[in-house]
Amino acid sequence: MRAARLIKMVLLLQSRPAMTAAELARELEVSERTVTRDAQALSEAGVPVYAERGRAGGYRLVGGYRTRLTGLARGEAEALFLSGVPGALREMGLEDAASAARLKVSAALLPSLRDASRTAAQRFHLDAPSWFREPETPELLPAVADAVWDDRRVAARYRRGEEEVVRELEPYGLVLKAGVWYLCARVARAARAAGGGSFRVYRIDRFTAVEAGGERFARDGDFDLPAFWAERAEEFARSILRAEVVVRLSADGVRRLPHVVDAPAAREALEAAGAPDAEGWVTVTLPVESEEVAHEQLRGLGPEVEVLAPAALRGRFVRDAGRLAGLYGG
């Protein structure tokens, strides 16, 4: 524990011209007296820590005691600090490791690049959860993340509908989508068979138990997590569009349609539509999840859409129009 603290102290002093005892104590989460003892220990070990006494005093390294990464431009250094997503790293239990890594990089950078972490943080922030929902970190996420990083098979219990299933999985990668964590994995038994088995997606918050075994698995070198996720996300979006509706859209309705329904489905429907009619309206056949979902979505277009079919959905909008007329008719 003390050795790690001493290394961190050196890295902190490398990354800044000087630090007071209070600043070091706060960063290292120790007392100022411990900082004094640690500085003396470093000095005795040959690390040139110089202590300046007085109100403006503090600690600094002398004699150019530092290592430097060369060849990094400012844009590259800033991009490096953007690579960490603080909230996601914290939820996976990797915040301390990421903080130590950033500190080491900061300490090794040239003085002119030392502010890269601050300038990057002031220009980009990722807020992963969607609006109006309280993000919840799955209790078993750190255990799953450990298995992913270590390529270890896990024995997992998973809620599927009203039942629980037990699977031995090879966890390949984690995905954070709009505040929800997913695991991309292969069933170990299928992976051992000829052909390797297919990859599947599991919601982390549906795991009820996860236990990592001692056995590591050999990763498929051809597996590409971003490409797999993009393909699976598109398949999922298409799989839930099981119904169709026929609607007429004004020019404004055409413009706004991709913003109220599944965007790829809207674009394909508009590309397949015919020419506008005499009033400038376009008739499209649109794939939707269900009549109920289509009703909720298309209401967002107001008077810029007319539902032609199915009759039951058109009836819903007729009733909506009647209620609106009752409210605003006077």
Side-chain angles (χ1 to χ4, degrees):
M1 175 68 76
R2 190 190 186 198
R5 189 175 70 241
L6 291 174
I7 293 172
K8 186 174 182 179
M9 183 174 180
V10 173
L11 292 172
L12 283 168
L13 292 174
Q14 282 188 194
S15 65
R16 306 177 194 180
M19 295 183 69
T20 66
E23 290 172 335
L24 284 167
R26 184 167 57 252
E27 291 282 353
L28 299 172
E29 298 181 350
V30 295
S31 67
E32 293 186 30
R33 182 173 295 179
T34 299
V35 168
T36 301
R37 288 198 297 265
D38 286 351
Q40 182 177 354
L42 287 171
S43 181
E44 292 172 354
V47 180
V49 178
Y50 178 73
E52 295 179 325
R53 303 190 181 279
R55 180 178 300 179
Y59 294 89
R60 62 184 176 88
L61 294 174
V62 296
Y65 188 89
R66 60 177 51 86
T67 59
R68 293 177 178 176
L69 290 177
T70 59
L72 276 181
R74 169 167 293 278
E76 293 170 332
E78 291 173 346
L80 177 64
F81 284 104
L82 285 179
S83 63
V85 183
L89 291 170
R90 182 173 57 253
E91 292 179 7
M92 287 189 290
L94 298 174
E95 184 177 30
D96 289 344
S99 175
R102 287 193 295 269
L103 183 59
K104 290 178 181 178
V105 172
S106 294
L109 286 174
L110 294 169
S112 61
L113 299 179
R114 294 253 172 85
D115 65 341
S117 61
R118 182 183 60 80
T119 58
Q122 293 302 319
R123 287 163 174 79
F124 178 81
H125 173 69
L126 176 64
D127 185 9
S130 57
W131 292 105
F132 311 120
R133 67 184 299 271
E134 188 68 24
E136 295 183 2
T137 302
E139 181 180 350
L140 296 174
L141 175 60
V144 176
D146 284 345
V148 168
W149 294 118
D150 209 23
D151 293 339
R152 291 192 181 275
R153 289 192 175 99
V154 296
R157 297 183 65 88
Y158 186 78
R159 292 195 310 274
R160 190 173 63 185
E162 299 297 323
E163 63 177 351
E164 280 192 355
V165 296
V166 179
R167 294 284 186 270
E168 184 185 8
L169 301 175
E170 294 183 347
Y172 267 70
L174 292 166
V175 175
L176 177 61
K177 169 71 171 178
V180 180
W181 285 94
Y182 297 88
L183 171 69
C184 301
R186 277 198 307 200
V187 176
R189 183 173 58 185
R192 294 189 186 103
S198 60
F199 291 92
R200 304 180 183 181
V201 176
Y202 301 86
R203 276 185 62 142
I204 301 294
D205 58 7
R206 292 180 184 168
F207 284 112
T208 58
V210 171
E211 183 177 352
E215 183 182 5
R216 286 189 170 90
F217 64 91
R219 294 179 67 90
D220 182 347
D222 293 330
F223 178 74
D224 184 331
L225 180 61
F228 168 77
W229 179 258
E231 180 181 351
R232 186 55 58 90
E234 183 176 351
E235 289 177 0
F236 173 75
R238 292 181 181 276
S239 70
I240 64 175
L241 303 179
R242 302 186 181 94
E244 287 186 344
V245 300
V246 181
V247 299
R248 289 178 71 235
L249 297 162
S250 69
D252 191 42
V254 168
R255 180 183 62 81
R256 292 166 52 191
L257 184 66
H259 301 288
V260 298
V261 301
D262 180 71
R267 286 193 293 268
E268 290 182 10
L270 291 170
E271 289 172 0
D277 59 22
E279 298 176 346
W281 287 54
V282 176
T283 300
V284 301
T285 300
L286 180 69
V288 295
E289 183 175 346
S290 66
E291 180 183 310
E292 291 76 14
V293 172
H295 181 227
E296 291 295 325
Q297 293 175 330
L298 293 174
R299 281 198 302 187
L301 295 179
E304 309 305 323
V305 61
E306 178 189 2
V307 175
L308 303 179
L313 180 59
R314 182 178 176 88
R316 287 175 181 255
F317 279 88
V318 169
R319 289 190 291 275
D320 288 347
R323 293 177 61 192
L324 287 171
L327 288 172
Y328 296 105

